[in-house]
Amino acid sequence: MATELMYLNDFDVLTGAARVQSVSVDDDGRTDVVLDRTCFYPRGGGQDWDTGAIRGAAGEFAVEEVRLDPEGMVHHLGNGPIAVGDEVSLAVDTTRRVMNTRLHSAGHVVDLAVERLGLPWVPGKGAHYPHMSFVEYNAALAPEETEATLVRIQQAARDVVGAGSTNEIRFMPVSEMGDYCRNVPDNIPTNKPARIVLYSDDFGVPCGGTHVRDVSDIGTLTITKIKSKKGVTKVSYAVEGIN
């Protein structure tokens, strides 16, 4: 049975209660715990996993890594006393979650800036990690246009963050996402509910990751580099206090 993903419905959920469904040993020797529900985000969509603790009557299980399998079950990998049937409390590492959420949300603001500038770029893959933050687009950019485009995207992104806006979560069939999102990928996962997050009231993002509640929570966003090669333009960025 798929794990209930508590973070899909709540921007701020960092704690919760759950029941242990299974306990096994992973290939690397760590304990693999599956719960009936979780607030821990598993790595995916260019965003890193949560860490933290699962606490029960037997003690504390340290969550070191979180994965989502094709059947929709979330695997919490780590070490500590835990058993099937335990009623447990969950606590996500707040500092790590906030960092990953700000970086991830910043990537969507870069995309929003590109859209507001009217650039006909189709978004591709992205990465939102402290050591590597970028969004790629299926678009060509002439070398002489690079610097001016960087300045324009950075200003547009900072305008969005500076204005602030409350994001909104919505669930809907994939067939309806085109009414809200300028780009709906063909590879939207089918092992979790289809969700969009509305940025600045009118920019829909098909995404199952964690997002800031208000865009202003991202902080200062800087476009560090733009590189275009073989029809792909890579926009790298940094968020103040993180990278």
Side-chain angles (χ1 to χ4, degrees):
M1 180 182 294
T3 307
E4 177 189 343
L5 308 177
M6 299 160 64
Y7 58 81
L8 287 180
N9 297 285
D10 187 339
F11 289 109
D12 305 314
V13 62
L14 293 166
T15 60
R19 177 188 289 270
V20 179
Q21 301 288 80
S22 71
V23 178
S24 59
V25 178
D26 192 54
D27 293 340
D28 62 8
R30 290 181 296 177
T31 302
D32 180 342
V33 176
V34 175
L35 309 170
D36 62 341
R37 61 202 302 260
T38 189
C39 53
F40 285 86
Y41 181 76
R43 186 172 188 171
Q47 179 182 341
D48 220 346
W49 61 71
D50 285 331
T51 58
I54 299 173
R55 300 184 177 95
E60 179 172 300
F61 178 87
V63 178
E64 301 170 349
E65 183 179 348
V66 188
R67 302 174 186 163
L68 178 69
D69 71 20
E71 285 71 47
M73 291 189 293
V74 175
H75 299 261
H76 307 75
L77 304 175
N79 293 282
I82 199 162
V84 173
D86 283 355
E87 298 287 347
V88 295
S89 62
L90 317 177
V92 172
D93 182 307
T94 302
T95 300
R96 180 179 172 91
R97 163 67 74 81
V98 170
M99 175 186 70
N100 289 335
T101 297
R102 289 174 62 206
L103 283 171
H104 175 221
S105 299
H108 289 303
V109 168
V110 170
D111 198 27
L112 173 52
V114 166
E115 193 262 352
R116 288 198 170 171
L117 290 172
L119 298 173
W121 296 1
V122 178
K125 68 179 182 180
H128 317 291
Y129 308 112
H131 66 285
M132 178 177 61
S133 302
F134 67 83
V135 182
E136 284 188 348
Y137 297 89
N138 296 320
L141 183 66
E144 62 271 18
E145 298 176 347
T146 300
E147 185 59 33
T149 302
L150 183 153
V151 172
R152 292 174 65 211
I153 293 175
Q154 176 170 284
Q155 188 57 57
R158 288 184 173 181
D159 287 346
V160 170
V161 174
S165 65
T166 302
N167 292 332
E168 179 185 350
I169 295 170
R170 293 188 186 180
F171 293 89
M172 64 186 63
V174 174
S175 60
E176 296 179 10
M177 287 185 170
D179 295 337
Y180 301 89
C181 310
R182 77 182 183 104
N183 180 68
V184 180
D186 296 330
N187 62 341
I188 292 179
T190 57
N191 60 346
K192 54 186 175 182
R195 180 186 77 155
I196 70 167
V197 178
L198 281 174
Y199 276 66
S200 297
D201 300 322
D202 61 355
F203 185 75
V205 176
C207 186
T210 65
H211 300 255
V212 293
R213 179 176 291 277
D214 192 285
V215 177
S216 63
D217 294 335
I218 292 171
T220 303
L221 196 166
T222 300
I223 305 301
T224 57
K225 185 178 182 180
I226 295 182
K227 182 178 180 180
S228 190
K229 184 178 181 180
K230 296 182 179 180
V232 175
T233 296
K234 181 178 181 179
V235 181
S236 299
Y237 65 90
V239 172
E240 183 180 19
I242 299 178
N243 55 0

PDB file of all heavy atoms in Angstrom, residues 51-73:
ATOM      1  N   THR A  51      15.984  14.526   6.437  1.00  0.00           N
ATOM      2  CA  THR A  51      16.531  13.687   7.497  1.00  0.00           C
ATOM      3  C   THR A  51      15.790  14.053   8.780  1.00  0.00           C
ATOM      4  O   THR A  51      14.985  14.984   8.810  1.00  0.00           O
ATOM      5  CB  THR A  51      18.042  13.916   7.680  1.00  0.00           C
ATOM      6  OG1 THR A  51      18.273  15.309   7.968  1.00  0.00           O
ATOM      7  CG2 THR A  51      18.809  13.525   6.425  1.00  0.00           C
ATOM      8  N   GLY A  52      16.057  13.306   9.850  1.00  0.00           N
ATOM      9  CA  GLY A  52      15.383  13.602  11.110  1.00  0.00           C
ATOM     10  C   GLY A  52      15.297  12.380  11.992  1.00  0.00           C
ATOM     11  O   GLY A  52      16.215  11.550  12.003  1.00  0.00           O
ATOM     12  N   ALA A  53      14.191  12.241  12.716  1.00  0.00           N
ATOM     13  CA  ALA A  53      14.064  11.153  13.680  1.00  0.00           C
ATOM     14  C   ALA A  53      12.649  10.588  13.699  1.00  0.00           C
ATOM     15  O   ALA A  53      11.669  11.308  13.491  1.00  0.00           O
ATOM     16  CB  ALA A  53      14.438  11.639  15.076  1.00  0.00           C
ATOM     17  N   ILE A  54      12.578   9.274  13.938  1.00  0.00           N
ATOM     18  CA  ILE A  54      11.319   8.577  14.197  1.00  0.00           C
ATOM     19  C   ILE A  54      11.423   8.037  15.619  1.00  0.00           C
ATOM     20  O   ILE A  54      12.344   7.274  15.930  1.00  0.00           O
ATOM     21  CB  ILE A  54      11.097   7.421  13.203  1.00  0.00           C
ATOM     22  CG1 ILE A  54      11.040   7.958  11.770  1.00  0.00           C
ATOM     23  CG2 ILE A  54       9.823   6.659  13.543  1.00  0.00           C
ATOM     24  CD1 ILE A  54      10.983   6.866  10.709  1.00  0.00           C
ATOM     25  N   ARG A  55      10.502   8.442  16.488  1.00  0.00           N
ATOM     26  CA  ARG A  55      10.600   8.081  17.902  1.00  0.00           C
ATOM     27  C   ARG A  55       9.434   7.198  18.323  1.00  0.00           C
ATOM     28  O   ARG A  55       8.278   7.479  18.010  1.00  0.00           O
ATOM     29  CB  ARG A  55      10.646   9.335  18.764  1.00  0.00           C
ATOM     30  CG  ARG A  55      11.841  10.241  18.454  1.00  0.00           C
ATOM     31  CD  ARG A  55      11.919  11.438  19.384  1.00  0.00           C
ATOM     32  NE  ARG A  55      13.106  12.249  19.110  1.00  0.00           N
ATOM     33  CZ  ARG A  55      13.112  13.327  18.320  1.00  0.00           C
ATOM     34  NH1 ARG A  55      11.977  13.730  17.750  1.00  0.00           N
ATOM     35  NH2 ARG A  55      14.227  13.997  18.110  1.00  0.00           N
ATOM     36  N   GLY A  56       9.776   6.120  19.036  1.00  0.00           N
ATOM     37  CA  GLY A  56       8.767   5.204  19.545  1.00  0.00           C
ATOM     38  C   GLY A  56       9.111   4.759  20.947  1.00  0.00           C
ATOM     39  O   GLY A  56      10.065   5.264  21.563  1.00  0.00           O
ATOM     40  N   ALA A  57       8.365   3.782  21.446  1.00  0.00           N
ATOM     41  CA  ALA A  57       8.568   3.311  22.814  1.00  0.00           C
ATOM     42  C   ALA A  57       9.961   2.729  23.023  1.00  0.00           C
ATOM     43  O   ALA A  57      10.522   2.801  24.125  1.00  0.00           O
ATOM     44  CB  ALA A  57       7.506   2.265  23.155  1.00  0.00           C
ATOM     45  N   ALA A  58      10.545   2.158  21.950  1.00  0.00           N
ATOM     46  CA  ALA A  58      11.855   1.514  22.080  1.00  0.00           C
ATOM     47  C   ALA A  58      13.017   2.494  21.983  1.00  0.00           C
ATOM     48  O   ALA A  58      14.161   2.139  22.279  1.00  0.00           O
ATOM     49  CB  ALA A  58      12.008   0.432  21.013  1.00  0.00           C
ATOM     50  N   GLY A  59      12.740   3.721  21.548  1.00  0.00           N
ATOM     51  CA  GLY A  59      13.819   4.693  21.413  1.00  0.00           C
ATOM     52  C   GLY A  59      13.720   5.484  20.127  1.00  0.00           C
ATOM     53  O   GLY A  59      12.636   5.626  19.546  1.00  0.00           O
ATOM     54  N   GLU A  60      14.857   5.978  19.646  1.00  0.00           N
ATOM     55  CA  GLU A  60      14.883   6.862  18.482  1.00  0.00           C
ATOM     56  C   GLU A  60      15.557   6.200  17.287  1.00  0.00           C
ATOM     57  O   GLU A  60      16.660   5.663  17.395  1.00  0.00           O
ATOM     58  CB  GLU A  60      15.608   8.158  18.827  1.00  0.00           C
ATOM     59  CG  GLU A  60      15.701   9.147  17.663  1.00  0.00           C
ATOM     60  CD  GLU A  60      16.256  10.489  18.087  1.00  0.00           C
ATOM     61  OE1 GLU A  60      15.643  11.128  18.963  1.00  0.00           O
ATOM     62  OE2 GLU A  60      17.311  10.889  17.557  1.00  0.00           O
ATOM     63  N   PHE A  61      14.883   6.273  16.148  1.00  0.00           N
ATOM     64  CA  PHE A  61      15.433   5.798  14.882  1.00  0.00           C
ATOM     65  C   PHE A  61      15.888   7.022  14.093  1.00  0.00           C
ATOM     66  O   PHE A  61      15.089   7.923  13.814  1.00  0.00           O
ATOM     67  CB  PHE A  61      14.366   5.030  14.096  1.00  0.00           C
ATOM     68  CG  PHE A  61      14.818   4.533  12.751  1.00  0.00           C
ATOM     69  CD1 PHE A  61      15.451   3.308  12.627  1.00  0.00           C
ATOM     70  CD2 PHE A  61      14.606   5.294  11.604  1.00  0.00           C
ATOM     71  CE1 PHE A  61      15.866   2.841  11.384  1.00  0.00           C
ATOM     72  CE2 PHE A  61      15.016   4.842  10.365  1.00  0.00           C
ATOM     73  CZ  PHE A  61      15.652   3.611  10.252  1.00  0.00           C
ATOM     74  N   ALA A  62      17.178   7.077  13.754  1.00  0.00           N
ATOM     75  CA  ALA A  62      17.728   8.215  13.019  1.00  0.00           C
ATOM     76  C   ALA A  62      17.514   8.017  11.522  1.00  0.00           C
ATOM     77  O   ALA A  62      18.001   7.042  10.943  1.00  0.00           O
ATOM     78  CB  ALA A  62      19.212   8.365  13.317  1.00  0.00           C
ATOM     79  N   VAL A  63      16.778   8.932  10.893  1.00  0.00           N
ATOM     80  CA  VAL A  63      16.507   8.862   9.454  1.00  0.00           C
ATOM     81  C   VAL A  63      17.644   9.554   8.709  1.00  0.00           C
ATOM     82  O   VAL A  63      17.857  10.756   8.851  1.00  0.00           O
ATOM     83  CB  VAL A  63      15.161   9.531   9.110  1.00  0.00           C
ATOM     84  CG1 VAL A  63      14.915   9.489   7.606  1.00  0.00           C
ATOM     85  CG2 VAL A  63      14.025   8.866   9.864  1.00  0.00           C
ATOM     86  N   GLU A  64      18.374   8.773   7.898  1.00  0.00           N
ATOM     87  CA  GLU A  64      19.529   9.290   7.171  1.00  0.00           C
ATOM     88  C   GLU A  64      19.242   9.536   5.694  1.00  0.00           C
ATOM     89  O   GLU A  64      19.911  10.342   5.049  1.00  0.00           O
ATOM     90  CB  GLU A  64      20.690   8.296   7.289  1.00  0.00           C
ATOM     91  CG  GLU A  64      21.122   8.028   8.729  1.00  0.00           C
ATOM     92  CD  GLU A  64      22.095   6.868   8.829  1.00  0.00           C
ATOM     93  OE1 GLU A  64      22.268   6.148   7.816  1.00  0.00           O
ATOM     94  OE2 GLU A  64      22.680   6.677   9.910  1.00  0.00           O
ATOM     95  N   GLU A  65      18.272   8.816   5.152  1.00  0.00           N
ATOM     96  CA  GLU A  65      17.946   8.928   3.727  1.00  0.00           C
ATOM     97  C   GLU A  65      16.498   8.492   3.539  1.00  0.00           C
ATOM     98  O   GLU A  65      15.995   7.642   4.280  1.00  0.00           O
ATOM     99  CB  GLU A  65      18.876   8.038   2.897  1.00  0.00           C
ATOM    100  CG  GLU A  65      18.664   8.135   1.398  1.00  0.00           C
ATOM    101  CD  GLU A  65      19.631   7.257   0.609  1.00  0.00           C
ATOM    102  OE1 GLU A  65      20.604   6.749   1.208  1.00  0.00           O
ATOM    103  OE2 GLU A  65      19.402   7.072  -0.600  1.00  0.00           O
ATOM    104  N   VAL A  66      15.827   9.074   2.541  1.00  0.00           N
ATOM    105  CA  VAL A  66      14.428   8.738   2.285  1.00  0.00           C
ATOM    106  C   VAL A  66      14.244   8.526   0.789  1.00  0.00           C
ATOM    107  O   VAL A  66      14.662   9.354  -0.022  1.00  0.00           O
ATOM    108  CB  VAL A  66      13.475   9.856   2.776  1.00  0.00           C
ATOM    109  CG1 VAL A  66      12.024   9.396   2.683  1.00  0.00           C
ATOM    110  CG2 VAL A  66      13.806  10.265   4.206  1.00  0.00           C
ATOM    111  N   ARG A  67      13.592   7.403   0.423  1.00  0.00           N
ATOM    112  CA  ARG A  67      13.376   7.066  -0.984  1.00  0.00           C
ATOM    113  C   ARG A  67      11.904   6.735  -1.225  1.00  0.00           C
ATOM    114  O   ARG A  67      11.224   6.205  -0.342  1.00  0.00           O
ATOM    115  CB  ARG A  67      14.207   5.844  -1.383  1.00  0.00           C
ATOM    116  CG  ARG A  67      15.703   5.967  -1.175  1.00  0.00           C
ATOM    117  CD  ARG A  67      16.373   4.634  -1.463  1.00  0.00           C
ATOM    118  NE  ARG A  67      17.797   4.631  -1.145  1.00  0.00           N
ATOM    119  CZ  ARG A  67      18.513   3.521  -0.998  1.00  0.00           C
ATOM    120  NH1 ARG A  67      17.925   2.334  -1.144  1.00  0.00           N
ATOM    121  NH2 ARG A  67      19.803   3.595  -0.713  1.00  0.00           N
ATOM    122  N   LEU A  68      11.448   7.010  -2.434  1.00  0.00           N
ATOM    123  CA  LEU A  68      10.093   6.650  -2.867  1.00  0.00           C
ATOM    124  C   LEU A  68      10.214   5.573  -3.932  1.00  0.00           C
ATOM    125  O   LEU A  68      10.903   5.760  -4.935  1.00  0.00           O
ATOM    126  CB  LEU A  68       9.379   7.876  -3.443  1.00  0.00           C
ATOM    127  CG  LEU A  68       7.956   7.657  -3.979  1.00  0.00           C
ATOM    128  CD1 LEU A  68       6.991   7.358  -2.838  1.00  0.00           C
ATOM    129  CD2 LEU A  68       7.496   8.885  -4.766  1.00  0.00           C
ATOM    130  N   ASP A  69       9.536   4.426  -3.729  1.00  0.00           N
ATOM    131  CA  ASP A  69       9.651   3.354  -4.716  1.00  0.00           C
ATOM    132  C   ASP A  69       8.528   3.455  -5.755  1.00  0.00           C
ATOM    133  O   ASP A  69       7.601   4.264  -5.615  1.00  0.00           O
ATOM    134  CB  ASP A  69       9.688   1.979  -4.035  1.00  0.00           C
ATOM    135  CG  ASP A  69       8.358   1.541  -3.434  1.00  0.00           C
ATOM    136  OD1 ASP A  69       7.295   2.071  -3.827  1.00  0.00           O
ATOM    137  OD2 ASP A  69       8.375   0.646  -2.564  1.00  0.00           O
ATOM    138  N   PRO A  70       8.588   2.673  -6.823  1.00  0.00           N
ATOM    139  CA  PRO A  70       7.586   2.769  -7.896  1.00  0.00           C
ATOM    140  C   PRO A  70       6.156   2.480  -7.453  1.00  0.00           C
ATOM    141  O   PRO A  70       5.206   2.884  -8.124  1.00  0.00           O
ATOM    142  CB  PRO A  70       8.071   1.722  -8.910  1.00  0.00           C
ATOM    143  CG  PRO A  70       9.541   1.621  -8.677  1.00  0.00           C
ATOM    144  CD  PRO A  70       9.700   1.775  -7.196  1.00  0.00           C
ATOM    145  N   GLU A  71       5.996   1.784  -6.335  1.00  0.00           N
ATOM    146  CA  GLU A  71       4.654   1.480  -5.830  1.00  0.00           C
ATOM    147  C   GLU A  71       4.120   2.571  -4.912  1.00  0.00           C
ATOM    148  O   GLU A  71       3.012   2.462  -4.384  1.00  0.00           O
ATOM    149  CB  GLU A  71       4.661   0.142  -5.077  1.00  0.00           C
ATOM    150  CG  GLU A  71       4.732  -1.084  -5.976  1.00  0.00           C
ATOM    151  CD  GLU A  71       6.095  -1.229  -6.639  1.00  0.00           C
ATOM    152  OE1 GLU A  71       7.115  -1.100  -5.933  1.00  0.00           O
ATOM    153  OE2 GLU A  71       6.137  -1.449  -7.866  1.00  0.00           O
ATOM    154  N   GLY A  72       4.911   3.622  -4.707  1.00  0.00           N
ATOM    155  CA  GLY A  72       4.458   4.726  -3.873  1.00  0.00           C
ATOM    156  C   GLY A  72       4.748   4.562  -2.395  1.00  0.00           C
ATOM    157  O   GLY A  72       4.239   5.330  -1.575  1.00  0.00           O
ATOM    158  N   MET A  73       5.566   3.579  -2.033  1.00  0.00           N
ATOM    159  CA  MET A  73       5.940   3.407  -0.627  1.00  0.00           C
ATOM    160  C   MET A  73       7.215   4.193  -0.338  1.00  0.00           C
ATOM    161  O   MET A  73       8.165   4.164  -1.128  1.00  0.00           O
ATOM    162  CB  MET A  73       6.139   1.931  -0.294  1.00  0.00           C
ATOM    163  CG  MET A  73       4.858   1.130  -0.306  1.00  0.00           C
ATOM    164  SD  MET A  73       5.052  -0.555   0.343  1.00  0.00           S
ATOM    165  CE  MET A  73       6.110  -1.275  -0.900  1.00  0.00           C
TER     166      MET A  73
END
